[in-house]
Amino acid sequence: MHLSHHASCAYADDNIRVNSVLPGLTATPQIASMFTAEEQAEIAGENQVIRRAVDPREIANAVLFLSSDEASMITGRGIEVSGGRRHGS
């Protein structure tokens, strides 16, 4: 996050925006090979309010949004795609 903020300040005059995407537990083939769907929900539930793994398309949608003109005034920020982090997580 500090790097994103620093880079956003350094490149703002060049009209370059810098942001971070912060995913939660993501439903990848590797995760599926390690944990059952129930285990994934349990792990996710310990750290986030939506008790399931993040679909990779949900992360891609956040990246697409940040890359779009609709996000033209967002820079130096982190967008969590994590199902809502629990307090203290």
Side-chain angles (χ1 to χ4, degrees):
M1 286 306 310
H2 286 91
L3 180 60
S4 293
H5 178 72
H6 177 76
S8 71
C9 293
Y11 295 108
D13 289 343
D14 296 320
N15 200 31
I16 296 172
R17 295 178 289 119
V18 181
N19 294 293
S20 300
V21 176
L22 312 167
L25 178 70
T26 304
T28 64
Q30 183 177 8
I31 292 296
S33 73
M34 295 169 55
F35 304 105
T36 66
E38 293 80 19
E39 290 170 326
Q40 291 178 44
E42 183 179 332
I43 293 166
E46 292 172 2
N47 299 303
Q48 59 197 51
V49 296
I50 298 176
R51 296 176 178 269
R52 66 169 177 81
V54 179
D55 186 298
R57 292 171 290 197
E58 293 167 316
I59 298 166
N61 287 334
V63 172
L64 286 172
F65 169 69
L66 288 172
S67 301
S68 72
D69 289 339
E70 285 78 13
S72 62
M73 287 300 290
I74 300 173
T75 192
R77 301 288 102 201
I79 304 293
E80 285 192 32
V81 184
S82 63
R85 197 167 16 143
R86 289 194 179 278
H87 183 69
S89 295

